Amino acid sequence: MERPPLTKRLKRYLRYLLIAGMLRLLQFLSLDTARTLGMTLGGWAYAFAGGERRKALKSLARAFPERTGAERDALARDAFRHLAAAALEVASARALDAGLESLVSWPDADRQVLEAALAKGKGVVFVSGHVGNWELLARRVARAGYPSQSIAKETSDPRLTALVEDFRAKGGVRSIWRGQEGAARAMLRALRSGEILGILIDQDTQVQSVFVPFFGELAATPRAAADLALRTGAAVVVGFCQRDSQGYRLTMEEVPHPDATEREAAVQALTAALSQRIEAAIRRAPEQWVWMHQRWKTRPPEDAPPALADAPSAPAR
């Protein structure tokens, strides 16, 4: 692989030093201080990061065309504030780990969903999205003693990837980096060992995808969760960690495998059902999603299948 130019290497190194230094400082913050500081920084980011603000407003216009411009503007601002607050809450590692169970409630009914899925003995493909605080979701499940690993994307700087991996590992979260050698075997091994394998499927990324409905438009959606579940027979659980008045709350639901006998149709149907659950979670609290992501960037070919009207619907919660 060709080595990056010196200026890019210097930029990456300085970014690594900045992030590493910030993590060392932020770990000493209280959760309340981290949250308040994050909300303030998020508001500044909305005001000054014009490019990201325009992306968020464009996405909101596609998802909520019925809302006024002022309503979408307020939603976008709240999304920036939430994202920054969530990030700083995770970074305040000492206070977070000391009060994780009180910060993130996990009702018995939702815990039993996960335990029932694990009891089937074929592992669990746990699907979520960039909704609420997905890092706290993984941390809460891992800290409760459930054997789990999460699929993650490496950063462009191996030092930063190692920093993120170490930070997550201290919270009990093990990572499988999808671009590294042996990643596919590690995923299969985790499921065959009866573990939970976490994966986020709500972004348009350079991975194998299928087009399924998302807020009324076809969106390129990673197919790995469906492929893994159908190949191994693993149970599929979709879950979220969303902010409420008391902190955060975990919700979980098992999604059945589709009846389709043809493999590609089954992948399409299961991915559509999972994406539908993610959309439902976003609609419950739209300010808790990453609207600055260009979710509909990749457009389907003209012969793409129509929206799956018969995909299993998400029950109201």
Side-chain angles (χ1 to χ4, degrees):
M1 181 180 295
E2 185 178 351
R3 197 178 189 192
L6 178 61
T7 53
K8 181 172 285 190
R9 281 184 280 134
L10 285 173
K11 182 178 179 181
R12 288 179 179 176
Y13 183 60
L14 291 173
R15 181 180 62 181
Y16 163 75
L17 290 177
L18 177 62
I19 293 174
M22 287 182 63
L23 286 176
R24 290 191 183 96
L25 291 173
L26 292 172
Q27 67 176 314
F28 298 105
L29 294 181
S30 70
L31 284 169
D32 286 342
T33 301
R35 188 179 303 118
T36 301
L37 178 60
M39 296 283 279
T40 300
L41 293 176
W44 290 352
Y46 182 76
F48 296 110
E52 297 304 304
R53 181 178 67 247
R54 286 188 289 273
K55 289 177 187 176
L57 291 171
K58 183 178 179 181
S59 294
L60 282 163
R62 296 178 80 154
F64 298 112
E66 74 283 1
R67 299 202 182 195
T68 66
E71 288 173 332
R72 293 195 293 265
D73 186 80
L75 254 182
R77 182 182 294 104
D78 287 345
F80 274 72
R81 286 161 57 85
H82 163 77
L83 183 60
L88 264 63
E89 284 171 333
V90 173
S92 59
R94 295 194 177 189
L96 174 65
D97 288 336
L100 184 62
E101 285 73 18
S102 58
L103 176 67
V104 182
S105 67
W106 191 355
D108 286 342
D110 293 278
R111 187 187 292 259
Q112 289 167 12
V113 168
L114 183 59
E115 291 183 349
L118 282 168
K120 295 179 180 180
K122 293 188 176 181
V124 172
V125 175
F126 193 106
V127 176
S128 191
H130 294 81
V131 180
N133 197 322
W134 56 96
E135 290 286 347
L136 287 187
L137 169 60
R139 208 174 187 97
R140 183 71 169 86
V141 171
R143 280 277 299 273
Y146 294 92
S148 57
Q149 300 188 59
S150 295
I151 301 172
K153 179 185 177 183
E154 312 92 318
T155 70
S156 57
D157 185 346
R159 289 167 303 203
L160 191 54
T161 298
L163 182 68
V164 172
E165 183 171 27
D166 179 67
F167 183 79
R168 288 176 172 170
K170 288 177 179 176
V173 180
R174 294 179 293 156
S175 300
I176 297 175
W177 301 101
R178 72 185 190 204
Q180 293 183 350
E181 185 177 354
R185 290 193 299 273
M187 296 174 200
L188 292 172
R189 188 163 54 247
L191 293 174
R192 288 167 179 162
S193 298
E195 295 187 33
I196 300 166
L197 185 64
I199 182 170
L200 307 181
I201 66 163
D202 64 330
Q203 292 200 340
D204 186 341
T205 56
Q206 295 180 341
V207 297
Q208 290 188 339
S209 301
V210 293
F211 286 94
V212 299
F214 187 72
F215 282 90
E217 292 191 52
L218 289 177
T221 305
R223 58 180 289 160
D227 278 325
L228 285 165
L230 294 170
R231 178 174 175 178
T232 64
V236 182
V237 172
V238 63
F240 307 95
C241 177
Q242 291 182 275
R243 192 185 297 278
D244 64 15
S245 59
Q246 304 303 315
Y248 290 92
R249 181 184 186 276
L250 297 192
T251 57
M252 296 182 183
E253 174 195 355
E254 185 170 355
V255 179
H257 287 210
D259 294 331
T261 55
E262 200 275 321
R263 177 64 176 272
E264 199 62 26
V267 168
Q268 187 87 15
L270 183 52
T271 305
L274 294 170
S275 184
Q276 192 173 58
R277 266 67 172 187
I278 293 172
E279 178 182 330
I282 296 169
R283 287 184 181 277
R284 288 196 294 269
E287 76 283 358
Q288 295 184 36
W289 193 63
V290 287
W291 292 103
M292 59 290 297
H293 172 69
Q294 295 177 286
R295 184 65 184 90
W296 299 273
K297 176 177 58 179
T298 303
R299 302 315 306 141
E302 292 183 356
D303 60 349
L308 297 180
D310 58 346
S313 60
R317 294 195 61 137

